[in-house]
């Protein structure tokens, strides 16, 4: 089910799968972006896929125990448009992350996600890398 949701939702942009897999009262925990229920998840997917039309997610591993599943994933795309305040730069990126879902029967009732947003922002040129910061510090010290 995790692999199917990933493919349908993130790769194909089929937001209707949200109604099938997420419980009506599902809560989402994202460290960077507020997601308000199923409607919020659909909106986030639409906006992210609009800003990154070549978006693709691969699930590397899935673990399950009791009513919990965890998955390690990689997502990539090209930042062509603005997404929630992050400008499109035309640069491509690869982001790694993990997701944990709490299930009640066939429905996800709670979801936690964590991913390397800082690395992604560096790849698309929004945020300097540590190497660039060190170089800027050396240049300032030489002045």
């Amino acid at each position: 089910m995790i692999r199917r949701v990933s493919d349908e939702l993130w790769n194909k942009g089929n937001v209707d799968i949200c109604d099938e897999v997420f419980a009506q009262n599902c809560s989402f925990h994202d460290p960077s972006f507020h997601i308000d229920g199923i409607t919020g998840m659909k909106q986030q997917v639409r906006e992210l896929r609009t800003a990154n039309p070549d978006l693709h997610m691969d699930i590397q591993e899935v673990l399950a125990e009791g009513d919990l599943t965890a998955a390690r994933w990689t997502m990539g795309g090209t930042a062509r448009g603005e997404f929630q305040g992050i400008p499109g730069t035309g640069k491509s990126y690869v982001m790694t992350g993990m997701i944990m879902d709490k299930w009640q029967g066939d429905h996800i009732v709670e979801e936690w996600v964590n991913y390397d947003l800082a690395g992604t922002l560096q790849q698309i040129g929004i945020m300097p890398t540590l190497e660039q910061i060190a170089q800027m510090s050396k240049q300032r010290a030489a002045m």
Side-chain angles (χ1 to χ4, degrees), residues 81-109:
E82 185 268 336
F83 174 71
Q84 296 200 14
I86 301 170
T89 62
K91 295 183 180 179
S92 296
Y93 64 91
V94 175
M95 172 194 298
T96 58
M98 294 187 186
I99 194 165
M100 179 176 275
D101 292 310
K102 181 173 178 64
W103 294 79
Q104 202 169 61
D106 292 338
H107 294 93
I108 297 170
V109 294

Side-chain angles (χ1 to χ4, degrees), residues 34-104:
H34 176 74
I35 301 172
D36 189 16
I38 294 173
T39 301
M41 175 58 81
K42 290 178 179 182
Q43 179 181 346
Q44 182 178 21
V45 171
R46 284 185 192 112
E47 290 176 5
L48 189 58
R49 290 189 49 77
T50 297
N52 304 264
D54 59 346
L55 187 77
H56 186 82
M57 177 185 271
D58 289 314
I59 301 291
Q60 273 75 47
E61 296 158 328
V62 178
L63 302 173
E65 184 170 324
D67 62 353
L68 297 173
T69 57
R72 183 175 65 84
W73 52 263
T74 303
M75 178 183 282
T78 306
R80 299 220 183 271
E82 185 268 336
F83 174 71
Q84 296 200 14
I86 301 170
T89 62
K91 295 183 180 179
S92 296
Y93 64 91
V94 175
M95 172 194 298
T96 58
M98 294 187 186
I99 194 165
M100 179 176 275
D101 292 310
K102 181 173 178 64
W103 294 79
Q104 202 169 61

Side-chain angles (χ1 to χ4, degrees), residues 94-128:
V94 175
M95 172 194 298
T96 58
M98 294 187 186
I99 194 165
M100 179 176 275
D101 292 310
K102 181 173 178 64
W103 294 79
Q104 202 169 61
D106 292 338
H107 294 93
I108 297 170
V109 294
E110 196 161 9
E111 182 168 275
W112 299 266
V113 64
N114 206 325
Y115 46 86
D116 182 17
L117 182 59
T120 300
L121 294 175
Q122 290 171 342
Q123 291 175 62
I124 65 171
I126 301 296
M127 191 170 117

